[in-house]
Amino acid sequence: MVVDIKPYGAWPSPITAESLSSSAEATDTCVDNGYIYWCESVAHEKGRGQIFRQPIKSTATDQQPEALLPAGYNCMTRVHEYGLGAFKVSNGLVVFSNNDDARLYTLIDNDIKPLTQPNKLYRYADLAIDKQNRFLVCIREEHFPNEQPKDVVNVLVSIDLTSGKETVIAQGEDFYSFPRLSSKNDLTFVCWKHPNMPWDFTRLYHASTTYENEQLVLHDLTCVAGDEIEESISQPEFGIDDTLYFASDRSGFWNLYSFDGEKVELLLDTPLEQEFVGPMWRFNPSDYTPLKSNAHQLLVVNKDSLALLDRQTRTMTNLACRYDHFSNLRIFLDTDNGTEYVIGNMSSPTEPTELVLYDILRQNIAYRHKKSAATRLEPEYVSIGQEIAFPTTNGQTSYCYFYAPKNPNYTGEGLPPLRVLSHGGPTSATNNSYKRAIQYWTTRGFAIADVNYGGSTGYGRAYRNRLHGQWGVVDVDDCCNAALYLADQQLVDRNKLAIEGGSAGGFTTLASLAFRQVFQAGCCRYGISDITLLAKETHKFESRYPDRLIGEYPKDKATYIERSPLFKADEINCPVIFFQGAEDKVVPPSQAEVMVNALKKNGVPVAYVLYDGEAHGFRRAENIKRTIELEQWFYGQIFGFPVEGVEGVEIYNFPSNKK
């Protein structure tokens, strides 16, 4: 094969920008009466949430899932602003949150009816339905006109599924999550108070219940964990014998525990230095699940493998599987033949995320319920992320995944440009599962460094806590040091380093440009430029998040100003492009606009793209496509390589400004 020489960044690629919005991952997966249900954001329908259903035992390779919601309905919730937990299914009854009017609706046999009263100030999420379909339990978030974050009220409510009567069953905490019902309607839930986030310190409660006069009554409410030691508790689930399982990081890592009504026990002999669950940013995650055939076993993720954990023998046995990244795990027990399956989102470094039915006994893939809509990338194009440990500030070690440029048809001269990714959160993480958006860049000749800076999850509480009081310092140092390390290793061009991030990652991007002289270009998606505004303007869920990351506001106002890129805008001397949603309540457009105006004033090349109808994260297909194409075009303008077929935007203070 003849390999052509073309500039890095300008290689023709089999991955189009359109294909990046062709399919969203399945969320809120739910198993009911032989069907798998899920929700996904449909980009070509303006990002509306659609509920899909498919028979689990389907044998047809081309059977399409059934879409349940007609036009005019949008399965989504804005509780905590990040959503998920927007629907639940029980015995054929679907209950879902409709984002357009914030009401709950029921759906059965194609008949949709409102369950809750018209009230746009109420939002609902994280539903649990009792086995007899008499009532549900969920989180209700109450808003007010001209509210401040502290005004918003979160409670647990029961809702009668016939009359719609709502009853508050738990209140007084700042936040609630994971309401779950046992087979005998015992209730468990997690709660926490400001200034904690769910990965800081939470408490787990358990109560027996009775259902009387269309309302749930709690009895013997008991704090199971979190009252005596400081720990983050997440993902409680009842087993088939009503044993309560949950994850806690009391050991320094999120390990799994059980509660039998009397005592809490670790499921293994000793805690492991690995995480069995992730941080709760959105409702209804499921990183493990109890089996339905054996009361003593759970299906878990053991690093990069599916595994069976037996709490009687206190052992964990890996299962053979072609995938190594797993989420949204649910169990299906085929009562016809006793076969037990796990259904979940599965991927690997070379295969995209698909909704897969996995036979636990035979250890093989039985069916793919939701295949990737995009054409599969041939192996010779796929760049596999290699985890690299690199030295950083104060003699510490941090981590990133490095993706080298890869395209069998092209090579470049010299070293490739590097695009550093700073993930959002910041209490979150990245991994090396196949991401088409990364392959878009590597097949065009870019190298990628996807950084798990200090403060990221997946490495234990101590690593997570590196960011306490140090946001805008540790994350910035790690992103810069990752880029410099790769340049020192002669893997990338030291003079073509770019950094990109969204939300909290956008703050890290801007801070890296303002406080360090490492990068030559930047891309900020709905990022934070003035963190004093974050302390004053953001929504309730994150309104006290900066307390631990930076300090209390306004007491530590000086630190906020010192860390805010806006107030150091005159030190940014490289071009930046900003993308922003006009309806973003998490990071309002004012965050981008104050920075854009400052860079304009200071003569720094800057471009600004504002999308009407978009909030925090872009859902519409045309905007997803436009964003990635413009970012590539922008780098082409700055680094001097051609990008064809993209209509550019105005770059203020830039002499060439080609389109």
Side-chain angles (χ1 to χ4, degrees), residues 601-623:
K601 181 180 178 181
N602 292 333
V604 177
V606 60
Y608 180 46
V609 182
L610 180 68
Y611 295 126
D612 290 332
E614 293 282 17
H616 197 65
F618 306 143
R619 295 176 177 271
R620 298 185 178 185
E622 63 272 22
N623 296 335

Side-chain angles (χ1 to χ4, degrees), residues 435-446:
K435 300 177 183 68
R436 196 169 180 85
I438 284 181
Q439 304 300 322
Y440 175 94
W441 293 93
T442 55
T443 54
R444 284 168 166 77
F446 267 81

Side-chain angles (χ1 to χ4, degrees), residues 496-517:
K496 293 182 179 179
L497 305 179
I499 184 168
E500 184 272 352
S503 191
F507 165 70
T508 301
T509 293
L510 294 176
S512 297
L513 300 176
F515 303 120
R516 307 289 188 275
Q517 300 297 315

Side-chain angles (χ1 to χ4, degrees), residues 7 27 43 88 133 171 216 235 298 301 313 369 536 606 611 613 617:
T27 61
K88 188 67 72 175
N133 283 10
Q171 59 186 324
L216 192 66
Q235 299 192 29
L298 300 88
V301 179
T313 61
H369 281 281
K536 293 181 288 187
V606 60
Y611 295 126

Side-chain angles (χ1 to χ4, degrees), residues 409-482:
N409 302 312
Y410 301 98
T411 188
E413 295 180 340
L415 296 172
L418 174 69
R419 182 171 174 261
V420 171
L421 307 184
S422 55
H423 63 70
T427 312
S428 184
T430 188
N431 57 42
N432 70 339
S433 64
Y434 178 94
K435 300 177 183 68
R436 196 169 180 85
I438 284 181
Q439 304 300 322
Y440 175 94
W441 293 93
T442 55
T443 54
R444 284 168 166 77
F446 267 81
I448 298 288
D450 207 355
V451 183
N452 274 327
Y453 48 75
S456 301
T457 58
Y459 301 89
R461 180 180 278 269
Y463 193 85
R464 202 162 74 232
N465 286 353
R466 281 190 192 179
L467 215 55
H468 278 190
Q470 296 297 310
W471 191 32
V473 178
V474 166
D475 50 324
V476 169
D477 283 346
D478 286 358
C479 285
C480 292
N481 286 329

Side-chain angles (χ1 to χ4, degrees), residues 78 180 267 310 359 404 444 646:
R78 291 185 60 186
R180 300 292 183 265
L267 297 191
D310 192 306
D359 187 323
R444 284 168 166 77
V646 178

